[in-house]
Each structure stands twice: as C-alpha cells, then as structure tokens.
Amino acid sequence: MRIVLLGAPGSGKGTQAQRLVARHGVPQVSTGDLLRAAVKAGTPLGRQAKAAMDAGELVSDEIVLGMIRERLSEQDAASGFILDGFPRNLSQADALDRMLAQLTQPLEHALHIDVPEAELIKRLTGRRTCSSCGAVYNTHLSPPQQAGVCDKCGGELIQRSDDNEETIRNRLGVYTEQTQPLIAYYGQQSLLTTIPGTGPVDEITARIERVLAGDAA
Ligand code: AMP
C-alpha cells in the first residue's frame, strides 16, 4: 500500500493515517512529525526548520526531500507507506514521483480529505496531542475523559505551538496556494479520490477503506 493523504491542516490526515497503520501494518510517514522531532532534538536540520514552522510557512524542499528519501529507504517502508503532509507543493510531488519510479514502486492512491474552512479552524484551535504516544484529541469535538491527560497512556496532552489563530490562518493560506494544486496533479494521474472529511471519524475511515478496497468512495 503506497498512498498519499492530501488535505488542509486539520482535515484529519494524521488521525486517519494512524488508523490505517493499525489496520494495514505499513508506516505513517509524516514530514510534520519528523520535523517536530528534529526541532525537539535540537539537530541542525531542526534549527533550520523551526522559523518556517513557527510562521506556518513551508520548510525548504531540500530539507524535506532529504528527510523523505532517508525515511522511505528504511526497512519498514519496503512494504508500503502512508504519506501524511507530504508532498506539500508541485516540486515535492514531482520529486516523489521520480524517487518512486527509481524504486519501481509508484503511488497507488492519493486521497484528498475535504473539510470546510470553518470546521478546520475549530479543529485546529481545539487540537491537543499526547506528548507520549501521539494520540490526537479535540477540546471541542473529542475531549479526553480528564482534561490534559491522554485516555490511552496517561501522557500529558499538549497544544502544538503552530496551532494558534494567526499561524493557523497562514497555514491555511499556504495550503490553498501551494498544496491545493496537487489535487489536479493527482487527478491527471488518475490517482485521486476526494473523501468528505466531516462526520464521525469511523465513517471517514470506512470511506477510505472502501476506496482502498477498490469500491467507490
Ligand atoms: P503538519 O504537521 O503536517 O501540519 O506540518 C507542520 C509544519 O511543518 C508545516 O506548517 C510546515 O512548516 C512544516 N512541514 C510539514 N510538512 C512539510 C512539507 N512536506 N514541506 C514543507 N514544510 C512542511
């Protein structure tokens, strides 16, 4: 299974990717997660990426492509992967196609999770992530049983530093300008399916599974 999850920040790519990992046993490859880990570890790459991330801008293609090349060459990606948050612009998509062509492992699906902007803002401002296991909650829509504590592992729930209103607006603008053109790009390659991304999370997962099984969305 080699798929790309496309969608605006807050569309649920990460949540759905985690579910697909559990069901299909292929890794989630999230450039956002890889970059946040590099920032946290204080690596040179993390230091370079931090300013762009804090502003809600894209990190340079050079950094992101280097990370992806390394991650996809790891053993667990040999049986497939779920790309979450990558590619983010046309030049990344083109580089990915060339990388996968060399490995004779082309993409099989690009799934666009479609969510209206007002809903995205609600989701992003309420988003909390477990600092220990990465589980995602929302203070408005799917709160944990105890505020600030992960239901699954008891870890501390934190708000991402780029989930503030100003950075959110910028990230949505960057999405419209740079990432949205990928919908047409994958449409032309006949890889694209748009999935309505509102409603119960289980229902969205079921829509995705129907596409992966070869049925209509
Ligand atoms: P995400 O967790 O996917 O929302 O990503 C958080 C931030 O990491 C983005 O706002 C960007 O600054 C950066 N980022 C993540 N993925 C990419 C990418 N593929 N290209 C450039 N920047 C990225």
Side-chain angles (χ1 to χ4, degrees):
M1 170 187 286
R2 294 181 298 274
I3 65 175
V4 165
L5 294 182
L6 274 178
S11 58
K13 301 186 298 296
T15 301
Q16 294 300 334
Q18 286 173 359
R19 290 171 159 233
L20 294 174
V21 166
R23 284 159 186 248
H24 297 278
V26 294
Q28 168 191 17
V29 176
S30 156
T31 41
D33 285 350
L34 292 171
L35 287 164
R36 277 185 289 280
V39 170
K40 199 169 168 191
T43 65
L45 187 150
R47 283 199 295 276
Q48 264 176 285
K50 188 174 185 319
M53 294 175 76
D54 285 345
E57 302 289 341
L58 294 187
V59 171
S60 76
D61 288 349
E62 194 192 341
I63 290 182
V64 170
L65 288 170
M67 270 179 13
I68 281 286
R69 210 166 273 126
E70 210 170 286
R71 182 65 188 85
L72 293 186
S73 67
E74 282 175 34
Q75 189 52 44
D76 66 341
S79 56
F81 46 77
I82 299 155
L83 290 174
D84 159 14
F86 175 89
R88 273 299 223 272
N89 59 29
L90 286 168
S91 76
Q92 291 180 7
D94 187 50
L96 175 67
D97 280 349
R98 281 184 279 122
M99 217 183 285
L100 296 179
Q102 266 181 6
L103 301 169
T104 55
Q105 299 214 319
L107 283 178
E108 292 162 328
H109 295 281
L111 304 176
H112 166 219
I113 307 180
D114 191 22
V115 175
E117 181 161 314
E119 169 88 8
L120 292 172
I121 290 171
K122 196 165 163 189
R123 289 187 186 183
L124 290 166
T125 53
R127 177 157 70 181
R128 300 293 182 273
T129 309
C130 176
S131 57
S132 178
C133 76
V136 181
Y137 299 85
N138 189 290
T139 55
H140 315 296
L141 307 165
S142 54
Q145 281 169 12
Q146 190 186 337
V149 180
C150 179
D151 291 348
K152 295 192 181 135
C153 77
E156 183 194 4
L157 301 186
I158 52 169
Q159 183 169 30
R160 275 173 47 171
S161 60
D162 59 353
D163 277 346
N164 65 77
E165 190 120 8
E166 192 191 334
T167 309
I168 287 169
R169 297 241 170 241
N170 205 16
R171 287 160 64 206
L172 292 174
V174 167
Y175 174 77
T176 305
E177 275 173 30
Q178 302 197 45
T179 310
Q180 214 155 256
L182 298 184
I183 295 171
Y185 178 88
Y186 288 120
Q188 276 159 13
Q189 296 189 15
S190 303
L191 290 175
L192 185 83
T193 307
T194 293
I195 313 248
T198 48
V201 178
D202 286 346
E203 177 52 36
I204 300 164
T205 308
R207 289 175 195 147
I208 291 176
E209 292 290 1
R210 283 199 289 276
V211 174
L212 298 179
D215 303 333

